Amino acid sequence: VFQGRILARRLVGQETRYEVEVKTPYRHRFPLVPWEYMWVPNTCGCPPLREGGEYLLMARRHVNYERTLNRILLQDDGYARPWTPREDRLVWEAARHC
């Protein structure tokens, strides 16, 4: 779970790749660097992430069977909401209980 700002969007094959500036990592089981590529397994624009927008994102790390691909993947059941101070407060409160 992290707060990120969408810097760019690009369609690559049947997927969408977002360039994301990682603003605040809340909870992560793998290291995040200040700029990451986040992949969405469709090209329909779902979820609707606009360039320049800040979002609270819950993505997962995807490593393929051969271990040749290691990326951040925002799946259909992932969480992507516009970032607000209220969302920030809710995430920090939930982190105390988890």
XYZ file of all heavy atoms in Angstrom:
836
model
N 0.867 -1.168 0.000
C 0.000 0.000 0.000
C 0.909 1.224 0.000
O 1.817 1.331 0.824
C -0.919 0.018 1.238
C -1.770 1.270 1.254
C -1.783 -1.212 1.285
N 0.653 2.124 -0.932
C 1.464 3.334 -0.999
C 0.687 4.469 -1.651
O -0.291 4.245 -2.358
C 2.779 3.090 -1.740
C 2.633 2.721 -3.190
C 2.714 3.686 -4.176
C 2.427 1.407 -3.569
C 2.583 3.349 -5.514
C 2.301 1.051 -4.901
C 2.387 2.027 -5.875
N 1.134 5.689 -1.364
C 0.586 6.868 -2.019
C 1.493 7.166 -3.204
O 2.719 7.205 -3.057
C 0.570 8.062 -1.078
C 0.145 9.349 -1.745
C 0.479 10.578 -0.917
O 0.986 10.464 0.190
N 0.217 11.746 -1.458
N 0.893 7.338 -4.374
C 1.700 7.599 -5.546
C 1.064 8.622 -6.460
O -0.149 8.808 -6.472
N 1.922 9.283 -7.219
C 1.463 10.257 -8.217
C 1.753 9.676 -9.589
O 2.877 9.235 -9.867
C 2.180 11.586 -8.044
C 1.672 12.649 -9.008
C 2.183 14.030 -8.626
N 3.611 14.133 -8.692
C 4.290 14.649 -9.724
N 3.644 15.098 -10.769
N 5.598 14.724 -9.687
N 0.748 9.652 -10.451
C 0.884 9.102 -11.795
C 1.638 10.109 -12.666
O 1.205 11.244 -12.833
C -0.500 8.797 -12.409
C -1.323 7.888 -11.506
C -0.346 8.220 -13.812
C -0.720 6.534 -11.237
N 2.779 9.676 -13.200
C 3.589 10.544 -14.038
C 3.309 10.339 -15.521
O 3.340 11.297 -16.299
C 5.075 10.300 -13.767
C 5.530 10.520 -12.320
C 6.974 10.113 -12.158
C 5.314 11.966 -11.912
N 3.063 9.094 -15.922
C 2.827 8.802 -17.337
C 2.053 7.500 -17.472
O 2.065 6.658 -16.564
C 4.154 8.705 -18.084
N 1.398 7.345 -18.629
C 0.629 6.137 -18.933
C 0.995 5.688 -20.333
O 1.092 6.524 -21.255
C -0.861 6.459 -18.860
C -1.756 5.336 -19.272
C -3.214 5.807 -19.184
N -4.085 4.730 -19.562
C -4.884 4.737 -20.609
N -4.929 5.800 -21.381
N -5.636 3.715 -20.873
N 1.203 4.380 -20.501
C 1.566 3.853 -21.809
C 0.949 2.484 -22.004
O 1.003 1.643 -21.086
C 3.079 3.757 -21.921
C 3.538 3.249 -23.251
C 5.026 3.296 -23.369
N 5.385 2.761 -24.669
C 6.550 2.315 -24.970
N 7.514 2.342 -24.071
N 6.804 1.831 -26.154
N 0.361 2.249 -23.159
C -0.179 0.933 -23.494
C 0.952 0.085 -24.058
O 1.662 0.510 -24.972
C -1.302 1.055 -24.516
C -2.504 1.905 -24.086
C -3.531 1.955 -25.199
C -3.113 1.379 -22.816
N 1.114 -1.113 -23.485
C 2.155 -2.044 -23.924
C 1.472 -3.387 -24.166
O 1.115 -4.078 -23.207
C 3.275 -2.188 -22.871
C 4.329 -3.171 -23.346
C 3.896 -0.840 -22.551
N 1.260 -3.738 -25.428
C 0.562 -4.977 -25.743
C -0.862 -4.932 -25.215
O -1.617 -4.010 -25.494
N -1.225 -5.909 -24.407
C -2.563 -5.990 -23.822
C -2.598 -5.451 -22.394
O -3.523 -5.737 -21.641
C -3.040 -7.445 -23.837
C -3.201 -8.014 -25.232
C -4.255 -7.254 -26.025
O -5.339 -6.982 -25.523
N -3.928 -6.898 -27.258
N -1.577 -4.694 -21.998
C -1.495 -4.164 -20.637
C -1.254 -2.659 -20.670
O -0.886 -2.102 -21.697
C -0.364 -4.849 -19.865
C -0.559 -6.336 -19.704
C 0.565 -6.973 -18.942
O 1.726 -6.788 -19.330
O 0.271 -7.646 -17.948
N -1.442 -2.043 -19.522
C -1.175 -0.618 -19.357
C -0.063 -0.469 -18.337
O -0.095 -1.082 -17.274
C -2.429 0.128 -18.863
O -3.511 -0.138 -19.753
C -2.182 1.614 -18.793
N 0.932 0.332 -18.671
C 2.041 0.594 -17.758
C 1.979 2.041 -17.293
O 1.900 2.969 -18.100
C 3.376 0.342 -18.453
C 4.564 0.518 -17.504
C 5.860 0.387 -18.229
N 6.114 1.628 -18.974
C 7.134 1.788 -19.797
N 7.972 0.802 -20.025
N 7.297 2.935 -20.422
N 1.971 2.220 -15.986
C 1.982 3.553 -15.391
C 3.341 3.808 -14.769
O 3.891 2.943 -14.084
C 0.922 3.672 -14.291
C -0.491 3.663 -14.809
C -1.229 2.488 -14.839
C -1.086 4.829 -15.271
C -2.535 2.478 -15.307
C -2.387 4.824 -15.742
C -3.104 3.644 -15.757
O -4.388 3.641 -16.226
N 3.869 4.996 -14.991
C 5.069 5.419 -14.287
C 4.575 6.173 -13.061
O 3.807 7.135 -13.181
C 5.928 6.311 -15.169
C 7.250 6.664 -14.539
C 8.133 7.467 -15.479
O 7.872 7.488 -16.696
O 9.070 8.100 -14.969
N 4.988 5.730 -11.893
C 4.443 6.246 -10.644
C 5.569 6.776 -9.756
O 6.592 6.111 -9.573
C 3.684 5.132 -9.880
C 3.116 5.662 -8.583
C 2.595 4.543 -10.743
N 5.359 7.975 -9.210
C 6.254 8.498 -8.187
C 5.712 8.021 -6.845
O 4.584 8.354 -6.475
C 6.282 10.021 -8.226
C 7.136 10.629 -7.142
C 7.028 12.144 -7.096
O 6.296 12.741 -7.906
O 7.681 12.725 -6.213
N 6.507 7.255 -6.117
C 6.090 6.744 -4.811
C 6.296 7.858 -3.800
O 7.420 8.284 -3.536
C 6.894 5.483 -4.418
C 6.513 5.019 -3.028
C 6.670 4.379 -5.436
N 5.187 8.364 -3.252
C 5.251 9.470 -2.291
C 5.419 8.953 -0.865
O 6.294 9.386 -0.147
C 3.983 10.313 -2.382
C 3.742 10.937 -3.720
C 4.472 12.208 -3.815
C 3.586 13.299 -4.335
N 4.121 14.582 -4.081
N 4.511 8.060 -0.438
C 4.538 7.524 0.919
C 4.251 6.034 0.877
O 3.151 5.632 0.526
C 3.465 8.199 1.802
O 3.619 9.608 1.745
C 3.564 7.736 3.236
N 5.241 5.202 1.215
C 4.943 3.764 1.336
C 4.363 3.507 2.733
O 4.980 3.851 3.736
C 6.297 3.095 1.146
C 7.297 4.138 1.504
C 6.655 5.483 1.284
N 3.166 2.962 2.794
C 2.526 2.714 4.081
C 2.876 1.324 4.605
O 3.308 1.154 5.717
C 1.001 2.833 3.958
C 0.543 4.230 3.654
C 0.176 4.589 2.371
C 0.484 5.195 4.642
C -0.243 5.866 2.079
C 0.065 6.477 4.364
C -0.296 6.803 3.072
O -0.708 8.069 2.791
N 2.616 0.355 3.793
C 2.901 -1.011 4.194
C 3.399 -1.733 2.951
O 2.716 -1.783 1.945
C 1.643 -1.683 4.729
C 1.869 -3.079 5.202
C 0.586 -3.664 5.787
N 0.805 -5.047 6.098
C 0.857 -5.525 7.317
N 0.693 -4.722 8.330
N 1.065 -6.794 7.519
N 4.596 -2.293 3.052
C 5.141 -2.975 1.877
C 5.955 -4.178 2.316
O 6.675 -4.135 3.292
C 5.975 -2.021 1.015
C 7.002 -1.256 1.764
N 8.277 -1.703 1.937
C 6.933 -0.065 2.394
C 8.963 -0.824 2.638
N 8.159 0.184 2.937
N 5.786 -5.241 1.563
C 6.521 -6.480 1.831
C 7.692 -6.640 0.879
O 8.395 -7.623 0.932
C 5.577 -7.671 1.713
C 4.499 -7.601 2.767
C 3.578 -8.759 2.678
N 2.514 -8.548 3.661
C 1.882 -9.507 4.254
N 2.163 -10.751 3.971
N 0.940 -9.240 5.120
N 7.855 -5.690 0.009
C 8.986 -5.667 -0.907
C 9.425 -4.213 -1.032
O 8.626 -3.298 -0.855
C 8.632 -6.277 -2.269
C 7.396 -5.711 -2.895
C 7.469 -4.639 -3.768
C 6.156 -6.252 -2.610
C 6.327 -4.115 -4.346
C 5.005 -5.734 -3.193
C 5.094 -4.655 -4.060
N 10.699 -3.973 -1.304
C 11.184 -2.583 -1.346
C 10.612 -1.806 -2.527
O 10.423 -2.344 -3.612
C 12.703 -2.743 -1.469
C 12.914 -4.111 -2.003
C 11.754 -4.947 -1.547
N 10.336 -0.546 -2.278
C 9.867 0.367 -3.313
C 10.915 1.458 -3.500
O 11.496 1.935 -2.533
C 8.538 1.010 -2.909
C 7.334 0.093 -2.820
C 6.163 0.833 -2.202
C 6.959 -0.432 -4.188
N 11.147 1.845 -4.729
C 12.064 2.942 -5.019
C 11.213 4.180 -5.331
O 10.002 4.072 -5.519
C 13.013 2.583 -6.191
C 13.945 1.449 -5.796
C 12.256 2.228 -7.439
N 11.819 5.374 -5.387
C 11.024 6.593 -5.575
C 10.190 6.633 -6.863
O 9.155 7.271 -6.903
C 12.068 7.702 -5.575
C 13.191 7.149 -4.763
C 13.213 5.683 -5.070
N 10.627 5.971 -7.928
C 9.860 5.884 -9.169
C 9.721 4.422 -9.535
O 10.702 3.692 -9.587
C 10.541 6.636 -10.308
C 10.345 8.106 -10.195
C 9.309 8.832 -10.675
C 11.196 9.047 -9.543
N 9.461 10.165 -10.367
C 10.611 10.318 -9.671
C 12.396 8.944 -8.862
C 11.192 11.472 -9.149
C 12.952 10.074 -8.342
C 12.353 11.327 -8.490
N 8.500 4.002 -9.775
C 8.210 2.606 -10.106
C 7.328 2.547 -11.345
O 6.601 3.486 -11.646
C 7.441 1.919 -8.960
C 8.217 1.707 -7.681
C 9.108 0.479 -7.716
O 9.142 -0.230 -8.743
O 9.772 0.232 -6.715
N 7.388 1.416 -12.027
C 6.414 1.109 -13.059
C 5.362 0.223 -12.421
O 5.691 -0.737 -11.730
C 7.039 0.363 -14.237
C 7.885 1.238 -15.127
C 9.211 0.937 -15.356
C 7.337 2.351 -15.755
C 9.983 1.725 -16.181
C 8.108 3.148 -16.580
C 9.436 2.826 -16.786
O 10.198 3.611 -17.609
N 4.111 0.548 -12.628
C 3.008 -0.261 -12.130
C 2.204 -0.720 -13.342
O 1.872 0.083 -14.208
C 2.125 0.553 -11.187
C 0.996 -0.245 -10.579
S 0.009 0.738 -9.439
C -0.747 1.896 -10.571
N 1.923 -2.003 -13.385
C 1.230 -2.597 -14.521
C -0.214 -2.918 -14.181
O -0.519 -3.333 -13.066
C 1.949 -3.874 -14.937
C 3.313 -3.614 -15.475
C 4.459 -3.438 -14.752
C 3.678 -3.473 -16.837
N 5.507 -3.196 -15.589
C 5.060 -3.218 -16.872
C 2.966 -3.542 -18.020
C 5.737 -3.034 -18.065
C 3.647 -3.363 -19.210
C 5.027 -3.111 -19.225
N -1.100 -2.717 -15.156
C -2.512 -3.080 -15.040
C -2.795 -4.039 -16.200
O -2.464 -3.735 -17.346
C -3.422 -1.832 -15.131
C -4.884 -2.221 -15.100
C -3.106 -0.860 -14.013
N -3.377 -5.234 -15.915
C -3.535 -6.251 -16.956
C -4.691 -5.999 -17.929
O -5.436 -6.912 -18.261
C -3.735 -7.534 -16.151
C -4.379 -7.085 -14.895
C -3.794 -5.731 -14.602
N -4.879 -4.761 -18.374
C -5.880 -4.455 -19.395
C -5.511 -3.126 -20.052
O -4.612 -2.429 -19.594
C -7.294 -4.399 -18.795
C -7.453 -3.294 -17.783
O -7.201 -2.132 -18.070
N -7.860 -3.637 -16.570
N -6.215 -2.788 -21.108
C -5.983 -1.515 -21.804
C -7.233 -0.643 -21.816
O -7.282 0.355 -22.529
C -5.537 -1.768 -23.266
O -6.533 -2.542 -23.919
C -4.197 -2.472 -23.326
N -8.241 -1.015 -21.042
C -9.519 -0.296 -21.066
C -9.516 0.978 -20.227
O -10.495 1.713 -20.221
C -10.644 -1.214 -20.607
S -10.596 -1.619 -18.849
N -8.442 1.231 -19.481
C -8.417 2.412 -18.634
C -9.084 2.187 -17.293
O -9.541 3.128 -16.649
N -9.173 0.944 -16.866
C -9.768 0.587 -15.580
C -8.662 0.080 -14.659
O -7.977 -0.863 -15.035
C -10.805 -0.507 -15.746
S -12.065 -0.111 -16.966
N -8.466 0.657 -13.541
C -9.143 1.818 -12.963
C -8.701 3.107 -13.662
O -7.608 3.178 -14.197
C -8.689 1.791 -11.505
C -7.348 1.147 -11.533
C -7.420 0.137 -12.648
N -9.560 4.121 -13.648
C -9.238 5.376 -14.331
C -8.228 6.211 -13.542
O -8.596 6.973 -12.665
C -10.594 6.080 -14.441
C -11.383 5.538 -13.297
C -10.902 4.128 -13.081
N -6.959 6.039 -13.849
C -5.886 6.801 -13.194
C -5.412 7.860 -14.178
O -4.991 7.548 -15.280
C -4.733 5.874 -12.820
C -5.076 4.672 -11.936
C -3.846 3.803 -11.732
C -5.648 5.126 -10.611
N -5.480 9.113 -13.766
C -5.097 10.193 -14.673
C -3.685 10.685 -14.345
O -3.248 10.652 -13.195
C -6.093 11.340 -14.630
C -6.199 12.040 -13.314
C -7.168 13.229 -13.368
N -7.290 13.806 -12.059
C -6.395 14.614 -11.497
N -5.316 14.943 -12.157
N -6.578 15.086 -10.275
N -3.006 11.112 -15.380
C -1.654 11.636 -15.190
C -1.694 12.877 -14.313
O -2.551 13.729 -14.477
C -1.024 11.959 -16.547
C -0.714 10.724 -17.350
C -0.036 11.042 -18.669
O 0.670 12.067 -18.766
O -0.225 10.261 -19.609
N -0.794 12.950 -13.363
C -0.736 14.064 -12.427
C -1.565 13.843 -11.174
O -1.407 14.568 -10.200
N -2.434 12.841 -11.178
C -3.276 12.567 -10.017
C -2.529 11.786 -8.948
O -1.615 11.013 -9.243
N -2.928 11.996 -7.694
C -2.344 11.247 -6.578
C -3.367 10.249 -6.078
O -4.539 10.581 -5.901
C -1.913 12.195 -5.457
C -0.713 13.021 -5.839
C -0.101 13.754 -4.669
O -0.332 13.359 -3.507
O 0.613 14.730 -4.924
N -2.899 9.022 -5.830
C -3.780 7.924 -5.467
C -3.210 7.115 -4.314
O -1.994 7.074 -4.104
C -3.978 6.987 -6.669
C -4.653 7.657 -7.824
C -3.915 8.297 -8.808
C -6.038 7.680 -7.921
C -4.535 8.935 -9.862
C -6.666 8.317 -8.972
C -5.911 8.945 -9.933
O -6.528 9.578 -10.974
N -4.114 6.482 -3.600
C -3.750 5.469 -2.628
C -3.870 4.149 -3.381
O -4.938 3.811 -3.885
C -4.696 5.510 -1.431
C -4.382 4.528 -0.312
C -3.024 4.848 0.308
C -5.458 4.595 0.745
N -2.776 3.410 -3.495
C -2.721 2.221 -4.336
C -2.359 0.987 -3.517
O -1.430 1.023 -2.718
C -1.678 2.420 -5.444
C -1.919 3.626 -6.348
C -0.657 4.016 -7.078
C -3.037 3.318 -7.324
N -3.114 -0.068 -3.728
C -2.795 -1.347 -3.105
C -2.521 -2.327 -4.245
O -3.439 -2.823 -4.894
C -3.931 -1.872 -2.230
C -3.561 -3.165 -1.566
S -4.757 -3.890 -0.398
C -6.237 -3.041 -0.636
N -1.261 -2.534 -4.517
C -0.841 -3.411 -5.597
C -0.041 -4.567 -4.997
O 0.269 -4.573 -3.815
C 0.008 -2.630 -6.595
N 0.286 -5.530 -5.845
C 1.076 -6.661 -5.360
C 2.274 -6.868 -6.273
O 2.299 -6.392 -7.398
C 0.241 -7.919 -5.282
C -0.310 -8.380 -6.577
C -1.144 -9.640 -6.424
N -0.829 -10.490 -7.534
C -0.221 -11.659 -7.486
N 0.070 -12.176 -6.419
N 0.084 -12.347 -8.531
N 3.223 -7.562 -5.747
C 4.407 -7.902 -6.528
C 4.104 -9.153 -7.332
O 3.591 -10.125 -6.800
C 5.583 -8.135 -5.599
C 6.856 -8.408 -6.303
C 7.973 -8.419 -5.292
N 8.912 -9.467 -5.671
C 9.804 -9.972 -4.870
N 9.895 -9.554 -3.635
N 10.627 -10.891 -5.288
N 4.422 -9.124 -8.600
C 4.188 -10.275 -9.478
C 5.533 -10.777 -9.992
O 6.281 -10.039 -10.628
C 3.301 -9.866 -10.657
C 3.176 -10.932 -11.686
N 3.738 -10.818 -12.919
C 2.561 -12.142 -11.641
C 3.473 -11.906 -13.616
N 2.765 -12.718 -12.864
N 5.844 -12.028 -9.676
C 7.051 -12.680 -10.172
C 6.598 -13.904 -10.949
O 5.862 -14.737 -10.412
C 7.992 -13.089 -9.014
C 9.241 -13.768 -9.552
C 8.365 -11.881 -8.166
N 7.027 -14.025 -12.201
C 6.577 -15.161 -13.000
C 7.288 -16.451 -12.584
O 8.240 -16.433 -11.792
C 6.717 -14.893 -14.497
C 8.157 -14.808 -14.946
O 9.075 -14.728 -14.139
N 8.358 -14.807 -16.248
N 6.836 -17.555 -13.125
C 7.333 -18.878 -12.748
C 8.836 -19.017 -12.984
O 9.546 -19.607 -12.174
C 6.572 -19.952 -13.541
C 6.994 -21.354 -13.223
C 6.626 -21.947 -12.011
C 7.759 -22.091 -14.110
C 7.024 -23.236 -11.708
C 8.154 -23.376 -13.815
C 7.784 -23.953 -12.609
O 8.177 -25.220 -12.302
N 9.328 -18.460 -14.083
C 10.755 -18.563 -14.401
C 11.612 -17.573 -13.614
O 12.825 -17.579 -13.727
C 10.970 -18.335 -15.899
C 10.357 -19.389 -16.782
C 8.901 -19.087 -17.100
O 8.444 -17.950 -16.867
O 8.209 -20.007 -17.563
N 10.962 -16.687 -12.857
C 11.630 -15.641 -12.090
C 12.416 -14.675 -12.975
O 13.449 -14.142 -12.587
C 12.526 -16.224 -11.005
C 11.771 -17.030 -9.977
C 12.516 -17.033 -8.652
N 11.752 -17.696 -7.623
C 10.831 -17.122 -6.876
N 10.546 -15.860 -7.056
N 10.194 -17.786 -5.948
N 11.906 -14.459 -14.188
C 12.527 -13.497 -15.090
C 11.769 -12.183 -15.131
O 12.223 -11.228 -15.746
C 12.598 -14.068 -16.524
O 11.278 -14.390 -16.954
C 13.468 -15.307 -16.577
N 10.609 -12.140 -14.501
C 9.760 -10.957 -14.509
C 9.385 -10.621 -13.073
O 8.862 -11.452 -12.347
C 8.503 -11.240 -15.329
C 7.521 -10.105 -15.536
C 8.175 -9.002 -16.359
C 6.291 -10.626 -16.253
N 9.708 -9.416 -12.645
C 9.426 -8.963 -11.287
C 8.863 -7.549 -11.414
O 9.568 -6.631 -11.789
C 10.721 -8.960 -10.475
C 10.493 -8.572 -9.038
O 9.415 -8.175 -8.630
N 11.547 -8.668 -8.250
N 7.573 -7.408 -11.124
C 6.943 -6.111 -11.325
C 5.812 -5.885 -10.337
O 5.359 -6.801 -9.673
C 6.429 -5.994 -12.752
C 5.379 -7.022 -13.089
C 5.088 -7.001 -14.550
N 3.954 -7.857 -14.858
C 3.273 -7.798 -15.963
N 3.609 -6.922 -16.888
N 2.265 -8.599 -16.181
N 5.357 -4.631 -10.272
C 4.226 -4.266 -9.430
C 2.974 -4.343 -10.298
O 2.917 -3.755 -11.377
C 4.408 -2.855 -8.858
C 5.623 -2.828 -7.937
C 3.168 -2.415 -8.099
C 5.955 -1.468 -7.427
N 1.988 -5.075 -9.812
C 0.783 -5.333 -10.583
C -0.436 -4.870 -9.801
O -0.623 -5.238 -8.643
C 0.686 -6.834 -10.870
C -0.486 -7.310 -11.709
C -0.356 -6.785 -13.134
C -0.526 -8.831 -11.719
N -1.253 -4.052 -10.435
C -2.522 -3.624 -9.854
C -3.604 -4.459 -10.519
O -3.971 -4.228 -11.665
C -2.773 -2.130 -10.094
C -4.067 -1.572 -9.525
C -4.071 -1.681 -8.000
C -4.249 -0.128 -9.942
N -4.070 -5.476 -9.816
C -5.047 -6.393 -10.374
C -6.452 -5.805 -10.324
O -6.688 -4.750 -9.747
C -5.020 -7.706 -9.597
C -3.717 -8.445 -9.754
C -3.715 -9.730 -8.972
O -3.866 -9.703 -7.764
N -3.540 -10.837 -9.667
N -7.387 -6.539 -10.930
C -8.781 -6.099 -10.941
C -9.336 -5.925 -9.536
O -10.154 -5.056 -9.290
C -9.646 -7.094 -11.710
C -9.284 -7.140 -13.180
O -8.761 -6.129 -13.697
O -9.516 -8.185 -13.801
N -8.888 -6.768 -8.600
C -9.369 -6.668 -7.224
C -8.468 -5.779 -6.369
O -8.604 -5.744 -5.153
C -9.511 -8.051 -6.598
C -8.198 -8.808 -6.533
O -7.208 -8.382 -7.170
O -8.152 -9.837 -5.842
N -7.542 -5.064 -6.988
C -6.672 -4.144 -6.261
C -7.430 -2.904 -5.816
O -8.615 -2.723 -6.112
N -6.737 -2.025 -5.140
C -7.355 -0.828 -4.568
C -6.667 0.388 -5.153
O -5.439 0.520 -5.069
C -7.189 -0.876 -3.051
C -7.913 0.193 -2.292
C -9.247 0.043 -1.953
C -7.261 1.349 -1.898
C -9.916 1.013 -1.231
C -7.926 2.327 -1.173
C -9.248 2.153 -0.846
O -9.912 3.121 -0.139
N -7.433 1.275 -5.755
C -6.901 2.521 -6.298
C -7.937 3.605 -6.064
O -8.985 3.626 -6.694
C -6.604 2.378 -7.790
N -7.661 4.481 -5.124
C -8.573 5.572 -4.778
C -7.807 6.889 -4.804
O -6.630 6.929 -4.457
C -9.140 5.396 -3.364
C -9.966 4.162 -3.168
C -11.362 4.375 -3.739
N -12.232 3.280 -3.391
C -12.502 2.255 -4.176
N -11.953 2.177 -5.353
N -13.319 1.298 -3.803
N -8.478 7.961 -5.185
C -7.807 9.264 -5.099
C -7.340 9.512 -3.663
O -8.058 9.243 -2.711
C -8.905 10.258 -5.500
C -9.843 9.451 -6.344
C -9.823 8.075 -5.749
N -6.109 10.014 -3.559
C -5.542 10.257 -2.232
C -6.166 11.499 -1.631
O -6.312 12.533 -2.278
C -4.035 10.442 -2.324
C -3.409 10.617 -0.986
C -2.956 9.625 -0.170
C -3.188 11.836 -0.288
N -2.464 10.170 0.982
C -2.604 11.518 0.948
C -3.443 13.167 -0.573
C -2.252 12.485 1.873
C -3.109 14.130 0.352
C -2.510 13.783 1.563
N -6.563 11.384 -0.362
C -7.065 12.514 0.411
C -6.466 12.402 1.808
O -6.026 11.326 2.210
C -8.605 12.486 0.537
O -8.985 11.304 1.244
C -9.279 12.532 -0.825
N -6.443 13.475 2.560
C -5.963 13.372 3.938
C -6.768 12.350 4.747
O -6.226 11.672 5.621
C -6.144 14.790 4.491
C -6.061 15.669 3.289
C -6.700 14.873 2.187
N -8.052 12.209 4.443
C -8.880 11.224 5.147
C -8.391 9.806 4.866
O -8.273 8.986 5.767
C -10.341 11.362 4.726
C -11.254 10.349 5.405
C -12.707 10.525 4.940
N -13.578 9.594 5.616
C -13.801 8.346 5.225
N -13.196 7.888 4.145
N -14.595 7.561 5.895
N -8.086 9.495 3.586
C -7.549 8.178 3.226
C -6.234 7.937 3.960
O -5.979 6.855 4.466
C -7.325 8.074 1.712
C -8.578 8.047 0.897
C -9.253 6.691 0.888
O -8.650 5.692 1.292
O -10.413 6.642 0.467
N -5.395 8.959 4.026
C -4.115 8.855 4.729
C -4.337 8.473 6.189
O -3.693 7.563 6.714
C -3.371 10.189 4.613
C -2.015 10.156 5.271
O -1.156 9.368 4.819
O -1.807 10.929 6.233
N -5.254 9.159 6.846
C -5.545 8.885 8.256
C -6.077 7.464 8.445
O -5.667 6.753 9.364
C -6.548 9.910 8.789
C -6.741 9.827 10.303
C -7.754 10.846 10.805
N -9.110 10.451 10.435
C -9.883 11.070 9.547
N -9.455 12.137 8.921
N -11.099 10.632 9.288
N -6.981 7.025 7.566
C -7.546 5.679 7.680
C -6.482 4.596 7.521
O -6.504 3.588 8.229
C -8.659 5.485 6.652
C -9.930 6.294 6.877
C -10.875 6.126 5.698
C -10.606 5.892 8.170
N -5.546 4.812 6.602
C -4.488 3.812 6.396
C -3.589 3.734 7.616
O -3.241 2.644 8.071
C -3.681 4.127 5.122
C -2.460 3.242 5.020
C -4.556 3.961 3.899
N -3.201 4.880 8.186
C -2.334 4.864 9.365
C -3.058 4.226 10.558
O -2.450 3.476 11.325
C -1.872 6.276 9.730
C -0.796 6.790 8.811
C -0.867 7.874 8.010
C 0.503 6.235 8.595
N 0.295 8.036 7.304
C 1.153 7.039 7.651
C 1.185 5.136 9.117
C 2.457 6.795 7.209
C 2.476 4.886 8.663
C 3.098 5.698 7.735
N -4.351 4.478 10.705
C -5.111 3.852 11.789
C -5.207 2.348 11.589
O -5.074 1.573 12.547
C -6.516 4.456 11.880
C -6.526 5.870 12.432
C -7.905 6.502 12.377
O -8.883 5.813 12.014
O -8.004 7.701 12.691
N -5.432 1.901 10.381
C -5.518 0.457 10.107
C -4.174 -0.214 10.340
O -4.116 -1.358 10.803
C -5.979 0.233 8.675
N -3.083 0.476 10.044
C -1.752 -0.109 10.222
C -1.457 -0.407 11.690
O -0.728 -1.346 12.003
C -0.690 0.832 9.657
N -2.046 0.361 12.582
C -1.831 0.098 14.020
C -2.488 -1.202 14.454
O -2.051 -1.824 15.415
C -2.380 1.256 14.843
C -1.485 2.462 14.825
C -1.993 3.461 15.806
N -3.076 4.204 15.139
C -3.575 5.333 15.571
N -3.120 5.841 16.684
N -4.516 5.945 14.921
N -3.535 -1.610 13.765
C -4.272 -2.820 14.135
C -3.768 -4.058 13.398
O -4.121 -5.176 13.766
C -5.764 -2.652 13.883
C -6.340 -1.510 14.663
N -6.464 -1.540 16.037
C -6.819 -0.307 14.265
C -6.996 -0.390 16.453
N -7.217 0.370 15.386
N -3.021 -3.872 12.335
C -2.552 -5.008 11.525
C -1.103 -5.328 11.807
O -0.311 -4.520 12.058
C -2.720 -4.699 10.048
S -4.424 -4.440 9.556
